[in-house]
Amino acid sequence: MALALLTDYTGGQLPAGAQAAKLYAQAKQAHQDLESGAGQGAGMRGWLKFPAEYPMTEEYGRIKAAAEEIKAKAEVLLVIGIGGSYLGARAVIEAVTSRYYNETRENTPAIYFTGNTLSESDFADLDRLIEGRDFTINVISKSGKTLECAVAFRYFKARLAEKWAGDTAQINKRIYVTTDEHKGALLQEAKENGWPTFVVPTDMGGRYSVLSAVGLLPIACAGIDVDALMAGAAAAQAAYKEPGGAFGENACDDYAALRYYYYKHRRKAVELFAGYEPSMVQFGEWYKQLFGESEGKRGQGLFPGAVTFTTDLHSLGQYIQQGRRILFETVLRFEQAANGISLEEEPGDGDGLNYLAGKSLFEVNRTAFQATALAHAKGRCPSLVLALPKRDAYNIGWLIYFFEKACAISGYMIGVNPFDQDGVEKYKNYMFALLGKKGKEHNRVRAHLKRVYGLEV
């Protein structure tokens, strides 16, 4: 099995006896509800069987073919999407390659993610990056009307038109669309212009969609072995299909049960996803959306944060060690060294580091993990450790499926629907009203904002 859940650094903060038995029974029931469709949001469980089934489809083959086309003709790929439409792809690209992907790539396009902000400075910066370079667009939006994505697509589509002096054939060769299969403004525009289209599945939310066309096209364009990625996820799908009932029988159930234990019985309010590899920073961003949107509703849910050690030990380490005791950590650890970099002895030992001579950086980093986990446990911040063999496509695929399934089980345990996110719409309603969008609903919101806040639009 690729992933191991370790509890050696919890400082003894673990359930036992009848309490443990009850927790694991609850996790088992939540797992069964997920598999059977008895739980809330049952229509959004398409991701459950996707890793094993999707590689057999015609679209999967088209994704790989399109990636080869893009790699052959594009110096730059602009991925336009927000939330689950880009976080998963960016997380996988950096996790499997490097946080310096754009600087170290070979025979693949530079990949920049946009459509996730309304900052004019960000648009201007990206303009400078693509100036004079042959760029292709992959726009990802189920409806085509998400404001950030639609604004970015309109803007960079115009940049394409400028670059090719309105040559429609050249422009249309450089736009790929991932959207709803049957309806929507973006689908209609794609049909009218002959842009290749891929499907945003209707039976899974964006945060669960990284292993669909949503994430796989950009990932494949980065030269990552998507077959290995899907094989790892499919292996996890098989490994975690049957529920446990006792610790050690199913890591998804174990993790969900322990999260619930810290939340309900130890009064923890924040879970920190911690890693010791800077290439996993974007994975932490994906993790935050997955758990934040899935659990944060009806006054429930742990607040998901993400830190990178040892970097953040020099900023947040003090709070984690001695601040309010509302934290626990989920720490990701890789078991195999990747590069074999060691420190050498230096004459004179001016920096006092000769005691490290002959030690690998992997060993030093592992010791930092051990020391930190021990110190945090001593300070009553327990750590759950997820150990993976190495940082490659197969193991990252496994990790993605592990978190998706554990998250769904956790949501059922705390009594929420882990597949909806209606709270996200509140800011959108206010924004559209303030921007003057037409419609009865926006008029109603404008009247409310005027009455309560005195805002005139």
Side-chain angles (χ1 to χ4, degrees):
M1 186 172 292
L3 181 145
L5 172 61
L6 310 176
T7 58
D8 303 334
Y9 299 96
T10 58
Q13 293 189 45
L14 289 170
Q19 183 184 52
K22 182 178 180 180
L23 283 169
Y24 294 122
Q26 288 176 287
K28 180 178 181 179
Q29 183 61 57
H31 187 137
Q32 290 173 331
D33 289 345
L34 176 65
E35 288 286 347
S36 68
Q40 299 179 74
M44 300 300 287
R45 298 173 304 124
W47 55 272
L48 259 179
K49 298 180 180 180
F50 213 69
E53 297 176 353
Y54 191 53
M56 310 301 291
T57 65
E58 176 268 343
E59 183 178 69
Y60 184 78
R62 285 199 299 112
I63 288 171
K64 294 199 286 186
E68 292 304 314
E69 290 177 4
I70 293 169
K71 286 191 288 183
K73 68 189 174 189
E75 296 175 79
V76 173
L77 173 64
L78 295 185
V79 179
I80 298 176
I82 195 167
S85 294
Y86 92 99
L87 284 170
R90 188 171 184 181
V92 172
I93 290 169
E94 293 197 12
V96 176
T97 62
S98 163
R99 63 169 167 164
Y100 304 118
Y101 164 79
N102 281 336
E103 292 74 30
T104 59
R105 63 196 164 79
E106 295 181 4
N107 303 316
T108 57
I111 300 177
Y112 299 107
F113 294 88
T114 186
N116 49 59
T117 179
L118 295 170
S119 163
E120 65 172 358
S121 296
D122 195 80
F123 277 48
D125 290 342
L126 195 48
D127 264 339
R128 287 189 284 271
L129 282 171
I130 65 175
E131 179 67 30
R133 303 166 81 180
D134 193 344
F135 70 94
T136 289
I137 293 172
N138 175 208
V139 57
I140 307 166
S141 175
K142 190 171 185 179
S143 67
K145 293 185 177 180
T146 302
L147 185 64
E148 294 89 342
C149 300
V151 166
F153 186 42
R154 175 179 286 201
Y155 182 83
F156 288 106
K157 189 170 49 173
R159 302 290 77 75
L160 263 184
E162 289 175 3
K163 179 175 179 59
W164 293 102
D167 186 335
T168 303
Q170 291 295 338
I171 295 166
N172 290 343
K173 287 179 182 178
R174 288 165 173 81
I175 298 177
Y176 295 76
V177 172
T178 309
T179 190
D180 190 276
E181 184 177 12
H182 301 293
K183 63 182 187 301
L186 187 54
L187 179 65
Q188 183 60 37
E189 189 177 5
K191 288 180 177 179
E192 291 171 357
N193 291 282
W195 302 331
T197 59
F198 302 92
V199 175
V200 176
T202 57
D203 58 355
M204 64 180 78
R207 58 191 178 275
Y208 290 88
S209 69
V210 58
L211 298 177
S212 73
V214 171
L216 289 180
L217 181 55
I219 291 168
C221 287
I224 292 170
D225 185 349
V226 292
D227 290 338
L229 183 75
M230 296 300 283
Q237 176 186 327
Y240 301 135
K241 178 173 176 52
E242 297 302 325
F247 187 80
E249 294 181 4
N250 186 304
C252 284
D253 293 2
D254 295 344
Y255 181 52
L258 289 171
R259 293 180 79 251
Y260 186 82
Y261 167 72
Y262 290 129
Y263 176 54
K264 289 293 187 180
H265 300 283
R266 289 285 182 168
R267 299 182 182 276
K268 302 297 185 183
V270 177
E271 178 181 18
L272 289 178
F273 174 75
Y276 285 75
E277 294 292 339
S279 62
M280 297 302 293
V281 167
Q282 293 301 322
F283 198 95
E285 296 302 302
W286 174 80
Y287 150 89
K288 288 193 297 186
Q289 189 206 8
L290 178 67
F291 282 92
E293 274 196 350
S294 296
E295 291 190 333
K297 53 201 76 167
R298 291 172 52 191
Q300 298 288 330
L302 288 156
F303 182 85
V307 290
T308 301
F309 294 153
T310 60
T311 305
D312 288 330
L313 292 175
H314 297 264
S315 57
L316 294 173
Q318 173 61 40
Y319 189 97
I320 297 169
Q321 190 67 45
Q322 294 183 335
R324 293 180 63 198
R325 300 297 78 201
I326 59 173
L327 306 169
F328 76 95
E329 294 172 318
T330 292
V331 183
L332 181 62
R333 188 179 83 185
F334 294 102
E335 303 291 71
Q336 297 177 23
N339 299 294
I341 297 175
S342 298
L343 297 173
E344 299 177 357
E345 188 169 336
E346 186 176 283
D349 195 23
D351 56 12
L353 292 179
N354 274 354
Y355 73 98
L356 295 177
K359 295 185 187 304
S360 69
L361 281 180
F362 178 83
E363 182 181 356
V364 175
N365 204 27
R366 175 58 64 89
T367 303
F369 150 77
Q370 184 179 29
T372 303
L374 289 169
H376 287 180
K378 180 72 172 177
R380 292 184 292 117
C381 176
S383 294
L384 301 174
V385 178
L386 302 177
L388 277 177
K390 58 183 178 180
R391 189 165 54 86
D392 62 8
Y394 181 90
N395 284 282
I396 295 301
W398 186 297
L399 186 64
I400 287 168
Y401 192 86
F402 167 82
F403 271 132
E404 287 179 344
K405 189 157 193 178
C407 181
I409 294 168
S410 291
Y412 284 159
M413 288 188 74
I414 66 173
V416 300
N417 179 353
F419 306 121
D420 65 2
Q421 58 280 336
D422 57 311
V424 176
E425 299 304 314
K426 180 63 71 174
Y427 94 88
K428 293 181 182 179
N429 291 337
Y430 281 17
M431 180 171 62
F432 291 145
L434 290 170
L435 287 170
K437 189 173 183 179
K438 296 179 180 179
K440 291 182 179 180
E441 175 63 20
H442 306 308
N443 290 338
R444 186 191 65 77
V445 174
R446 274 189 284 273
H448 166 77
L449 292 174
K450 181 179 180 179
R451 182 174 65 254
V452 176
Y453 300 102
L455 294 174
E456 293 281 0
V457 180

